[in-house]
Amino acid sequence: MTQKNSKLIWVLFSGLAVFVIYLFFQNQSPEQEQRASGSATLVTTQLVTHSALVRQVSSLGTALANESVQIVSNTNDYLIELHINEGKTIEKGQLIAQLNDVEERARVAELSASLVDQKRQLERVKNLAKTQATAQSLLDEQQTRVNTTQAQLDAVKARLNEMTIRAPFTGVLGLRQVSEGAYLTAGTVLTTLDDLSKIRLEFSVAEYYLAQLQPGMTVHASNVAYPGSIFTGQIKAIDTRLDPVTRSVKVHALISNDEMKLRPGMLLNVSVTLAEVQALQVSEKALVPLQNKQYVFVVNQDNTVTQTEVQIGQRMPGLVEVVSGLKAGDQIVIEGTTKIRSGAVVVPTVSKAGL
């Protein structure tokens, strides 16, 4: 009985020992396991170097016509001529519409004849005033008549000019809103006129970039209607005030529109090139986020790795700028970061693509 109890105790003791050894190996860190087994983790690395970096700011913008007006009637009368070719270019000063101006023309002719007669009488009174002092009052009265008639003639000529509607600048006519023969009232819209030879692009930029913005900077824009096409222009004006709600500033740029692809109202993706600098850039795969910080694994000379905090700047597709924490020549892990910890031994393989 005693011998059986002894064997049972030894069996239990052996099992307990095996369990303790299992727990020990389970709780070992990767680097301890590596050292215990004499193995190292195979990782892909990248050498940190300086490379050209284009600093950009992106935004959404709206396309506007360089010049844009609504063509309206300034007076009340019948429309007797209409020259609106929708979607066609019209030159500055070219006739768009003609209202009935028969009454105004007759009035101009009447006042013109009257003015000629009033001026002739004025000359007679002037000659009379040279010899007779009492004619001075007649001279003053006649001069008043001439001035009054001239003012009336100018007013009628102005109304006559309003009967003829011409293009204020060269542009493209919009859709026709009225028909020939219609009776127009003041303010009636006939059509629109847009100068589309250039597009004025309006977009907003955050306050943070205000000091870096300058007129003349290059602007690149794209639109979903033309995949792969990039429209290039320059900043022409920066608003003097910031929006107190969004803390952003409005910017206007001009883009050449020779092919007439862009139209007012289009939504454009905008990017502005602020500067071109040399900066440290690494693959975004090297970043190990922890809470609100970013880390990378730096490979030491003895092939151990050190987890190092970095400050990042601008992000690009597949790349990220490192502001601090690394220096040129450092070797960092870009693949295999999930299999290692600080102090682990690695077998580095430098990526040929550097990514």
Side-chain angles (χ1 to χ4, degrees), residues 33-140:
E33 292 177 5
Q34 290 169 357
R35 289 167 183 166
S37 62
S39 63
T41 304
L42 182 64
V43 296
T44 304
T45 61
Q46 171 193 1
L47 290 177
V48 179
T49 59
H50 284 97
S51 56
L53 172 65
V54 178
R55 297 198 185 279
Q56 294 181 328
V57 57
S58 300
S59 181
L60 291 176
T62 302
L64 306 172
N66 187 35
E67 302 288 348
S68 181
V69 295
Q70 285 187 324
I71 304 299
V72 300
S73 171
N74 291 329
T75 187
N76 306 335
D77 220 309
Y78 287 98
L79 180 63
I80 59 175
E81 288 185 45
L82 188 61
H83 303 278
I84 297 179
N85 294 319
E86 299 171 321
K88 301 297 183 181
T89 299
I90 188 171
E91 299 296 325
K92 179 179 180 180
Q94 192 172 336
L95 180 65
I96 295 178
Q98 178 66 58
L99 277 70
N100 182 18
D101 59 355
V102 174
E103 182 179 346
E104 284 73 18
R105 288 182 181 277
R107 184 62 176 158
V108 167
E110 177 187 358
L111 290 173
S112 296
S114 177
L115 182 61
V116 171
D117 183 60
Q118 295 289 352
K119 287 182 177 180
R120 186 168 50 250
Q121 293 185 33
L122 179 62
E123 291 299 322
R124 293 175 182 173
V125 175
K126 283 183 179 179
N127 293 331
L128 183 63
K130 293 178 181 178
T131 58
Q132 298 182 16
T134 55
Q136 184 61 44
S137 60
L138 297 177
L139 176 62
D140 294 340

Side-chain angles (χ1 to χ4, degrees), residues 47 54 89 108 134 142 162 203 218 267 352:
L47 290 177
V54 178
T89 299
V108 167
T134 55
Q142 189 59 37
E162 292 178 350
F203 58 98
T218 301
L267 178 67
K352 295 181 180 180

